């Protein structure tokens, strides 16, 4: 049989998207046809900075040793490009509060415009606005988003609801920040639940679904059993593995993902000092056990959405500038942001290693998904791991750390450690566009652009 690529399993008002199956190819599909698989773009956005001495690898381009911070991702050496030395010129040469002007250009490559935001997102008569450009994920989504059900997927981990320049990294257009979805359950329902019937409010429909839900998979099992009898052995294995993964995700979604870590406003909104939060503002849900559980659930949902070709562009934002997460599992009792300003290299390296472990988790999930041609989902991705700052204590935005993962379907020459001097991070964003098949020699503020980096 030949199955439509957009076939889903249905039952009781629920739809479950499927991964690519051999049965979705034309009956006379050639080897070349089977080799055509979509490319995906992912952003892993980390807030605050790093400790340079424990982040930068040592050695040469191909014969390098992983640093203490990057040690957790060493198993993926052959699918990584570690990049050092780029300056975030759009931040360094921009006006505005340090965190605001660091995050805004991170994916846009553009300095902040004039506006009415001051530190902490407080509105005032004089301040800064949003960056003056679309973000690179949305530039790519413009080119590939019409091929999937969802143009792009923006996920967050305890990102503040207030949409100011210190809390948003994705922009669909100038002055159009995209809020990330903080709740993995809501993201899961959005991806895998049918739309409500005519005349039924979506909110009420979702609530009713949640009330009577045993499991999305339980509701589609009859359809699943019928389909299973029509598939070949390899397709059966792919489908069973896919549903097993979904079952695992469902079992881990009830984690209080709606919890958030809201920051107190600075006492003096005209200044740029980072203030110590009131003790009462520190909530239990700001510890890293909840923070990490939400993040891993979001990465599970993201991987499934990409595997099912529901979207080809996805971003994950870990909190926001000056985040209030307390890494209690590491023995800390102060927030990440506050520790940044104490500049304790040992403590901050512990936090950076924790984030590297989360990135390794994402790599493991992507590498576990097999494509029809024998490659993995990770092989067909461009994954950008980026930081808000280089040096957190000094709000530095020079010599920024970056990691690219995946192989971009063979376009990205991985297994390398590259150092660039005198280049802006705009050139890395251009490279991400080009690797995804989007042409262009500039991105963001053109005055900082020299062209794509030699990554192919």
């Amino acid at each position: 049989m030949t199955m439509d690529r957009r076939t889903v399993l249905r039952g009781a008002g629920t739809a479950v998207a499927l991964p690519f199956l051999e049965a979705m190819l034309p009956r006379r599909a050639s080897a070349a046809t089977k080799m055509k698989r979509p490319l995906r773009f992912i952003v892993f956005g980390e807030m605050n900075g790093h400790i340079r001495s424990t982040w930068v690898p040592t050695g040469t381009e191909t014969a390098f040793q992983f640093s203490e911070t990057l040690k957790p991702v060493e198993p993926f050496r052959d699918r990584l490009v570690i990049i050092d030395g780029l300056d975030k010129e759009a931040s360094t040469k921009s006006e505005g509060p340090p965190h605001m002007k660091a995050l805004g250009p991170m994916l846009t490559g553009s300095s902040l415009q004039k506006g009415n935001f001051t530190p902490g997102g407080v509105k005032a008569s004089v301040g800064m606005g949003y960056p003056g450009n679309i973000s690179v994920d949305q530039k790519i989504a413009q080119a590939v988003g019409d091929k999937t059900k969802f143009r792009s997927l923006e996920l967050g981990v305890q990102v503040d609801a207030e949409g100011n320049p210190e809390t948003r990294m994705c922009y669909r257009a100038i002055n159009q920040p995209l809020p990330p979805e903080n709740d993995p359950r809501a993201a899961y329902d959005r991806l895998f639940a049918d739309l409500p019937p005519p005349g039924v409010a979506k909110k009420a429909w979702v609530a009713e679904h949640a009330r009577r839900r045993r499991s999305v998979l339980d509701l589609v099992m009859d359809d699943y059993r019928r389909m299973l009898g029509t598939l070949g052995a390899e397709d059966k294995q792919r489908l069973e593995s896919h549903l097993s993964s979904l079952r695992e995700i469902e079992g881990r979604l009830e984690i209080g993902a709606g919890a958030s870590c809201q920051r107190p406003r600075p006492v003096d909104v005209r200044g740029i000092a980072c203030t110590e939060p009131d003790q009462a503002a520190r909530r239990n849900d700001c510890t890293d056990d909840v923070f990490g559980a939400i993040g891993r659930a979001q990465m599970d949902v993201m991987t499934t959405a990409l595997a099912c070709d529901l979207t080809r562009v996805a971003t994950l934002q870990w909190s926001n500038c000056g985040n209030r997460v307390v890494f209690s599992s590491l023995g800390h009792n102060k927030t990440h942001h506050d520790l940044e300003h104490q500049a304790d290299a040992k403590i901050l390296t512990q936090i950076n290693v924790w984030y590297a472990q989360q990135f390794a988790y994402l790599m493991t999930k992507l590498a576990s998904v097999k494509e029809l041609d024998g490659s993995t989902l990770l092989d067909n991705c461009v994954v950008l791991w980026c930081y808000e700052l280089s040096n957190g204590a000094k709000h530095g935005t020079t010599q920024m750390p970056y990691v690219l993962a995946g192989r971009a379907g063979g376009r990205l020459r991985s297994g390398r450690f590259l150092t660039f001097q005198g280049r802006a991070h705009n050139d890395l964003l251009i490279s991400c566009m080009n690797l995804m098949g989007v042409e262009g020699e500039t991105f963001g503020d053109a005055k900082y652009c020299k062209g794509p980096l030699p990554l192919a």
Side-chain angles (χ1 to χ4, degrees), residues 104-118:
M106 186 169 77
L107 296 180
T108 66
S110 177
S111 298
L112 300 182
Q113 306 173 96
K114 293 294 183 181
N116 59 2
F117 290 106
T118 55

Side-chain angles (χ1 to χ4, degrees), residues 120-345:
V122 179
K123 290 192 175 184
S125 58
V126 178
M128 302 305 297
Y130 295 116
N133 192 46
I134 188 174
S135 55
V136 68
D137 57 294
Q138 292 304 301
K139 179 70 174 179
I140 293 169
Q142 284 181 346
V144 304
D146 62 340
K147 299 176 177 64
T148 55
K149 181 177 180 180
F150 297 96
R151 185 176 185 268
S152 60
L153 181 63
E154 293 75 43
L155 301 176
V157 187
Q158 295 183 332
V159 178
D160 286 1
E162 186 176 359
N164 64 74
E166 290 184 325
T167 68
R168 297 293 179 262
M169 70 177 192
C170 299
Y171 292 83
R172 187 160 189 168
I174 298 175
N175 295 323
Q176 291 185 27
L178 285 172
E181 174 55 68
N182 279 323
D183 188 343
R185 169 60 73 185
Y188 185 86
D189 284 342
R190 177 186 172 213
L191 290 165
F192 297 109
D194 275 345
L195 294 175
V200 177
K202 184 174 182 179
K203 185 175 182 180
W205 174 253
V206 171
E208 173 62 16
H209 255 39
R211 185 188 66 78
R212 65 187 177 88
R213 180 201 303 271
R214 298 184 304 278
S215 160
V216 165
L217 299 182
D218 291 338
L219 301 176
V220 300
M221 286 309 293
D222 288 343
D223 202 13
Y224 163 66
R225 294 187 185 95
R226 284 193 296 270
M227 178 179 290
L228 207 58
T230 67
L231 300 177
E234 290 188 5
D235 275 353
K236 284 182 181 179
Q237 184 177 1
R238 288 191 186 94
L239 184 55
E240 289 171 352
S241 176
H242 174 63
L243 296 184
S244 177
S245 176
L246 285 178
R247 182 78 71 183
E248 180 184 350
I249 293 173
E250 284 193 335
R252 295 169 46 221
L253 284 180
E254 305 300 338
I255 55 176
S260 64
C261 294
Q262 298 293 331
R263 292 173 299 160
R265 300 188 188 282
V267 175
D268 180 6
V269 299
R270 296 167 297 174
I272 59 174
C274 301
T275 61
E276 180 73 13
D278 183 84
Q279 291 292 330
R282 293 179 175 170
R283 299 165 51 186
N284 290 334
D285 56 27
C286 289
T287 57
D288 57 323
D289 56 343
V290 175
F291 190 65
I294 295 171
R296 289 187 292 275
Q298 295 286 43
M299 289 186 280
D300 292 345
V301 171
M302 174 192 290
T303 300
T304 302
L306 294 168
C308 294
D309 205 30
L310 293 173
T311 189
R312 296 180 184 176
V313 177
T315 59
L316 180 63
Q317 179 178 338
W318 292 85
S319 191
N320 34 253
C321 300
N323 70 70
R324 307 258 60 90
V325 181
V326 177
F327 287 84
S328 56
S329 69
L330 303 177
H332 303 171
N333 57 16
K334 292 186 177 182
T335 70
H336 182 189
H337 179 251
D338 298 330
L339 291 173
E340 285 282 346
H341 286 276
Q342 291 184 8
D344 186 311

Side-chain angles (χ1 to χ4, degrees), residues 22-42:
E22 291 277 2
M24 294 176 180
L25 295 172
R27 289 187 179 183
R28 298 178 181 270
S30 63
T33 300
K34 293 184 180 182
M35 286 295 290
K36 291 181 180 178
R37 63 271 189 195
L39 297 179
R40 293 83 159 188
F41 181 67
I42 301 171

